[in-house]
Amino acid sequence: MTLADPMPALRRTGWVARLVASRSFQRWAAATPIVRRFARADGEALMDVVAGFVHSQILHAMIETRLLHRLMEGEADTGSLAVAAGLPRDRAEVLLRGAAALKLVREMRGGWRIARRGAALLGVPGLEAMVLHHRALYADLADPVALLRGDGETELSRFWPYVFGAARAEDPETARRYSDLMADSQVIVAEETLARVDLSDAEEVLDVGGGTGAFLAAVGAAHAGPRLHLFDLPAVVPGAAARFAAGGLEDRVSITPGSFRDAPLPVGADVVTLVRVLYDHGDSTVAALLRAAYEALPPGGRVVVSEPMGGARATDAYFALYTLAMRTGRTRNPRTIMGLLAEAGFDGIRDRGTTRPFVTRVVEARRPST
């Protein structure tokens, strides 16, 4: 009697992998019409991975030189774009051709025009600022294995010191940098979140770690009923007050300065929102925060978690390493977040999903009514 192979699929996979890796198979695939297009697609995809850093630097240069902005005004020739960017003509052409290969711009007869992808990039709030601040992330990724080992200090941990506690974010310049980048990018996060959860019937929404109030301002614009309450570090309060005043929301808003690491959350809200907060922090801090949200809510009150979550390409191949470089926090998949909510005492836990996983995903839960 012969025992069945316990791992036939694994063995077949290994055989296929060895076949695909062989040069003779690759030459055959490249020469065979039926499979040639698959081989070419794999080759181009691999080259995109190999050249990914260069691609991101082309994007960075197009934003820093403001050539994308210049082309939003209309077509321009290489010479005028070189002058606008402060680059020699031949090097400006290298940059423009690289941007065209990435479909950010298009070459026209006698000049250049912005492409749909380039225009879309400029239309995403906060994306330009995110690209420009990547200098810190790229410095940390210069030795990715050292980053994965957790060796040494990182540039991003200095860029985002607030995640280590309120005392690390008292510097006004640090607070401004944190607030500006978060607020710019919060607009599209708020759009996606409010499309996933209905806050129209809320009495009061407490936004924890909400910076200068971009998310609460979006809630206020979308729904006339709820009172709005911001809880964040003292250093961001002036910016939040200015934002609410500019939006005509000051009569509906309360601002409580503080750190959820050091103080209980304010009570009185029936909805607590945690927008891009959990992935900045480790499991013990997140567990304590969710328990604090549970204690702050009345029976039947809701908590809304909105942030990039694992399982999406942008999260697993970007945010996961970003949080490593911050030296605190991690990206979690929806199931993990739902488990942490259950451990904190919540029920009625629902994954509200997303249409843009590269922006955010939403999970909602309730404190039991009894």
Side-chain angles (χ1 to χ4, degrees):
M1 178 178 179
T2 303
L3 294 177
D5 187 341
M7 296 186 294
L10 182 60
R11 293 184 186 279
R12 285 197 298 272
T13 300
W15 177 84
V16 171
R18 288 192 294 274
L19 175 65
V20 172
S22 71
R23 286 296 300 123
S24 59
F25 177 83
Q26 291 176 7
R27 286 192 295 270
W28 172 83
T32 304
I34 295 177
V35 297
R36 183 162 50 206
R37 63 189 181 96
F38 298 105
R40 178 174 178 175
D42 281 351
E44 290 177 347
L46 283 172
M47 192 60 203
D48 280 344
V49 173
V50 171
F53 178 74
V54 179
H55 294 175
S56 65
Q57 297 305 90
I58 290 171
L59 173 61
H60 191 290
M62 289 295 292
I63 291 175
E64 185 169 333
T65 59
R66 297 190 66 79
L67 288 184
L68 285 178
H69 303 78
R70 170 64 185 82
L71 289 171
M72 278 293 288
E73 300 171 2
E75 289 185 35
D77 59 44
T78 303
S80 63
L81 292 171
V83 171
L87 298 173
R89 180 189 173 97
D90 59 336
R91 297 186 177 228
E93 185 169 358
V94 168
L95 175 58
L96 288 163
R97 292 198 179 282
L102 299 180
K103 299 183 180 180
L104 299 172
V105 302
R106 294 172 56 198
E107 186 175 13
M108 311 298 293
R109 183 174 298 178
W112 300 87
R113 173 184 295 176
I114 196 163
R116 184 181 73 247
R117 187 173 296 174
L121 183 149
L122 294 183
V124 177
L127 187 53
E128 292 177 66
M130 185 172 76
V131 170
L132 292 177
H133 99 283
H134 276 163
R135 286 190 184 93
L137 175 61
Y138 295 154
D140 294 331
L141 287 172
D143 188 344
V145 176
L147 175 64
L148 290 164
R149 287 178 181 144
D151 295 345
E153 190 78 2
T154 62
E155 291 294 322
L156 271 185
S157 67
R158 289 187 282 267
F159 190 92
W160 296 121
Y162 74 94
V163 295
F164 295 100
R168 294 284 294 272
E170 290 178 351
D171 174 61
E173 175 57 24
T174 298
R176 184 200 62 77
R177 181 176 63 204
Y178 151 66
S179 299
D180 288 351
L181 184 56
M182 291 298 288
D184 288 344
S185 56
Q186 200 81 311
V187 174
I188 192 168
V189 176
E191 289 177 359
E192 183 68 25
T193 304
L194 295 177
R196 294 282 151 181
V197 293
D198 183 7
L199 300 182
S200 61
D201 60 347
E203 295 182 7
E204 181 175 314
V205 177
L206 171 66
D207 191 30
V208 177
T212 56
F215 178 74
L216 277 185
V219 175
H223 306 299
R227 300 186 304 275
L228 311 173
H229 195 160
L230 177 70
F231 181 73
D232 206 339
L233 303 175
V236 306
V237 168
R243 177 185 297 278
F244 294 136
L249 296 170
E250 61 266 47
D251 292 340
R252 296 174 57 190
V253 177
S254 300
I255 302 176
T256 302
S259 168
F260 60 76
R261 286 174 172 268
D262 309 318
L265 301 184
V267 297
D270 59 323
V271 177
V272 170
T273 55
L274 300 167
V275 181
R276 296 196 301 179
V277 172
L278 302 190
Y279 75 161
D280 280 347
H281 300 281
D283 287 348
S284 60
T285 301
V286 168
L289 173 56
L290 293 179
R291 188 62 191 177
Y294 182 93
E295 297 295 339
L297 285 166
R302 290 184 285 164
V303 62
V304 176
V305 177
S306 178
E307 65 184 40
M309 298 182 191
R313 178 180 178 183
T315 307
D316 294 341
Y318 173 76
F319 286 108
L321 272 76
Y322 190 104
T323 53
L324 280 183
M326 289 175 67
R327 295 187 63 238
T328 180
R330 67 184 182 91
T331 56
R332 301 171 177 87
N333 61 43
R335 187 180 300 276
T336 299
I337 291 174
M338 294 167 77
L340 289 167
L341 287 164
E343 290 174 8
F346 290 98
D347 65 7
I349 303 169
R350 299 287 184 270
D351 179 1
R352 297 301 187 189
T354 181
T355 54
R356 294 178 282 187
F358 51 89
V359 173
T360 197
R361 186 173 183 137
V362 180
V363 171
E364 184 180 30
R366 288 185 180 273
R367 175 169 175 166
S369 298
T370 58

